[in-house]
Amino acid sequence: KTFKTNKPSPLKAIIMFCSRLSILINHQKCLPLSFQKFTFSTNPQTNIKIYTSEIHDPYFNIATEDWIYREQDPNYHSLYLWRNAPTVVIGRNQNPFKECHLQRMEQDGVHLVRRFSGGGAVYHDLGNTNFTFVSAREELKTDRNFKIITDALNDFSVKANVQGRNDLVVDGLKISGSAYNLSMKRALHHGTLMLDVNMDKLGQYLNPSKEKLKSKGVSSVQKRVLNLIEVVRDINHEVLCQSLIKSFARTYNVDNPSVQALNYEELKKVPTLNQCYQKLKNWDWIYGQTPVFNHHLERRFDWGTMDVNINSKDGIITDVEIFSDSLYPQLIESVGNHMKGVTYNGEGMDKVGKLVREDIK
């Protein structure tokens, strides 16, 4: 004999929980980043550091970015400019088997890198200029960083605007996307600027979810992006970096800023940089976070996609893996950590929601 119950099914419970998580993320007090408008500091004594990379090894460049983020004095405002050989970079919580066409990448010698910050998968090649801003956490002002970039683009008579989840667009087409990483004392804001990216390769290697594309009202990656060279024929990485450096220094009232060029010699000088470099190249970091699943749920929200993969036994969640292009990786990790060991029903999800709320207070 079967009995009716008012308790939601596991699938409905997860959907209900994701809906509650959506409300939680969109609540202003719970956001780990603030996207309000700020009053800019114009203190002429502000210290800045500017770095550029001389090489195109994505593991070195992203390891260097992490080194700047974790070990440089947070009292400095730092700018790091770099570019990679053909590479797909996935977010910290993403599933490479879903986000990328791995067989094509292997055939063509394209690198796969899992970064430490959140956000979605992006394709890099030498037609891409990557920027990184690092500061003390309380000094993170995303609109100031975007203004540095848009002012630099104004040097080329390009009018760019911020749109959606931290994209920069020209005439409604995306030229740049951003992601973030935060600690107690430090903040990192990084992103890409598309100068002359190989669009055919971009479409061959990336596999964005149909639900995400549907939410943006387009049918392919290529249709919603723009190379700046289509607007400014003589733009390139070197001249764009010069304008970004000039705009960055002008923002902090610094004349004639010094620029430090980085290369493989830094691996010999800085042990922690070398350790990070080796970690990024390690199979366990790139692929090892992708177990076999027995229940899968994917749902798109305004703040990102939740791809929840659950193993359960006897009504208890024994293992969970969450992949997401959300810009708040700490929150996604908190959800995953608290789901393990709870009952796979509505009450269990309520408990997880309360624990996550406590984490982000």
Side-chain angles (χ1 to χ4, degrees), residues 218-283:
V218 294
S219 59
S220 70
V221 180
Q222 295 99 317
K223 286 184 180 179
R224 62 186 179 95
V225 297
L226 173 72
N227 271 323
L228 285 169
I229 199 169
E230 297 177 41
V231 182
V232 183
R233 297 304 305 174
D234 58 350
I235 197 169
N236 58 47
H237 176 74
E238 289 74 21
V239 297
L240 178 58
C241 286
Q242 290 173 11
S243 290
L244 288 167
I245 290 169
K246 181 176 68 174
S247 180
F248 181 74
R250 183 171 60 241
T251 297
Y252 295 106
N253 300 305
V254 176
D255 296 324
N256 302 315
S258 62
V259 179
Q260 182 177 351
L262 304 173
N263 54 44
Y264 283 126
E265 290 300 312
E266 309 304 322
L267 294 176
K268 301 175 184 177
K269 300 176 191 175
V270 186
T272 52
L273 172 58
N274 190 38
Q275 290 169 9
C276 184
Y277 176 65
Q278 299 302 330
K279 176 178 180 177
L280 286 170
K281 296 176 69 176
N282 186 276
W283 188 94

Side-chain angles (χ1 to χ4, degrees), residues 146-165:
F146 284 127
K147 189 173 188 301
I148 290 170
I149 298 169
T150 56
D151 284 353
L153 292 174
N154 280 338
D155 291 346
F156 304 93
S157 300
V158 174
K159 176 65 174 177
N161 299 294
V162 181
Q163 185 179 86
R165 298 175 61 229

